[in-house]
Amino acid sequence: MTAPIRVAVTGAAGQICYSLLPRIAAGEMFGKDQPVILQLLEIPVEKAQQALVGVAMELDDCAFPLLQDIICTDDPKVAFKDANWCLLVGSKPRGPGMERADLLKDNGKIFIGQGQAIDEVAADDCRVAVVGNPCNTNVMIAAAQAKRLPAERFTAMTRLDQNRGCTQLAQKAGVAVTEVENLIIFGNHSPTMYPDFTHATIGGKPAAEVINDDAWLKETFIPTVGKRGAAIIAARGLSSAGSAANALIDHVKALHTPSDTVHSICVKSDGSYGFTAGVWASVPVRTTAPGTYEIVQGVELDEFSQGQIAITNDELTGERETVKDML
Ligand code: NAD
Ligand code: LMR
């Protein structure tokens, strides 16, 4: 029998997790032969704990063959105990008119206690993926608490931006999304992010050549991807959930599965591509062993790309300054 993977998930009664948990239990994250145990954390408030019981009841009612156990708790040390993956979703979403950085002070402190608990009780091979916003800076706060687990184990998610960008390019070109490759997201999961279309291909040809509209790429494509989260909030009255859950499945699957494919993931910057060392910036990575990645080097950046990266890097270093007391 294959040993189960213990997956701790925070914010488990929230809207992202309502889409996420059944998909993990169905084998979409770790494979159709890999049993899982879900360790679900919610805040110690009766309403949230009751809702969590309801979520667990529904998971039971799916009779998923791979789901070996469900643990529901309000104690981070129970949720993260022996966890192989910790998916940190729980935190406040923004509402209409807010920027993700507005959440910094409120959400940042969640990641101090959770980072400490993970470092204390999670499995030696534990990997951490942060979704709660502002995710680049929250993951830095969590990683800063760790004395045992290396900072490289902590990542944050720009996969939703990668997926959004691929669809925008495909729709503009009038082709299937599977035709789009090599779109790299650089920087912060915020409107300053740089969806680098200069290396993207559509049907194997340079995207810029296929689209043949530089103004659209620079003035419409980039802000559409950067502000898509706000557009969803304006349309739904709630932040993205199904697409965020889907992106987290893609993010973890990418990190769990060694391959030559290039993925955009927020990792601790080593100074590559002009990012300040030590901030968590989205860069191109390749998975070399399950849970282990390298930053892909040698992607050429023209003057426009360098300028875009400088803008998003300024924001990341500014966010780090704002939370310096939490690091
Ligand atoms: P939600 O409000 O529906 O659910 C969040 C849940 O987290 C709530 O049930 C809440 O009780 C719980 N929670 C709050 N603090 C917690 C803590 N300390 N420990 C455990 N649970 C806690 O929100 P949602 O729509 O599921 O979004 C969650 C987060 O994900 C938000 O910060 C949102 O902005 C972010 N998000 C990020 C991306 C991305 O691409 N990185 C995409 C979508 C949403
Ligand atoms: C998104 O990109 O949809 C999320 O980060 C939610 C938000 O606040 O935009």
Side-chain angles (χ1 to χ4, degrees), residues 9-18 41-45 48 51 73-74 76 80 88-94 100 103 107 109-111 114 130-136 138 156-161 164 189 233 236 238-241 243-245 247:
V9 189
T10 72
Q15 51 151 2
I16 293 178
C17 288
Y18 196 72
L41 182 69
E42 259 297 343
I43 49 173
V45 167
T73 181
D74 63 6
F80 298 134
L88 307 188
V89 180
S91 52
K92 209 162 87 177
R94 66 173 164 155
R100 296 180 187 103
L103 301 170
N107 283 345
K109 42 186 188 261
I110 295 174
F111 294 85
Q114 292 189 352
V130 175
V131 172
N133 277 319
C135 61
N136 296 60
N138 288 337
M157 188 173 97
T158 42
R159 181 56 179 248
L160 181 52
D161 311 302
R164 286 169 171 166
H189 174 61
I233 291 169
R236 246 169 59 83
L238 287 168
S239 77
S240 62
S243 56

Side-chain angles (χ1 to χ4, degrees), residues 105-142:
K105 287 281 183 193
D106 276 354
N107 283 345
K109 42 186 188 261
I110 295 174
F111 294 85
I112 300 176
Q114 292 189 352
Q116 288 167 351
I118 290 168
D119 200 49
E120 207 175 308
V121 302
D124 280 340
D125 70 355
C126 178
R127 265 72 183 169
V128 181
V130 175
V131 172
N133 277 319
C135 61
N136 296 60
T137 296
N138 288 337
V139 72
M140 176 166 51
I141 295 169

Side-chain angles (χ1 to χ4, degrees), residues 74-94:
D74 63 6
D75 181 349
K77 287 198 189 155
V78 173
F80 298 134
K81 179 82 182 128
D82 298 327
N84 307 105
W85 274 89
C86 296
L87 310 180
L88 307 188
V89 180
S91 52
K92 209 162 87 177
R94 66 173 164 155

Side-chain angles (χ1 to χ4, degrees), residues 170-202:
Q171 288 180 351
K172 178 74 176 168
V175 300
V177 73
T178 46
E179 297 288 303
V180 181
E181 289 181 299
N182 294 330
L183 175 71
I184 300 168
I185 305 296
F186 281 104
N188 204 1
H189 174 61
S190 86
T192 68
M193 79 181 76
Y194 174 43
D196 178 8
F197 55 82
T198 66
H199 301 283
T201 59
I202 300 177

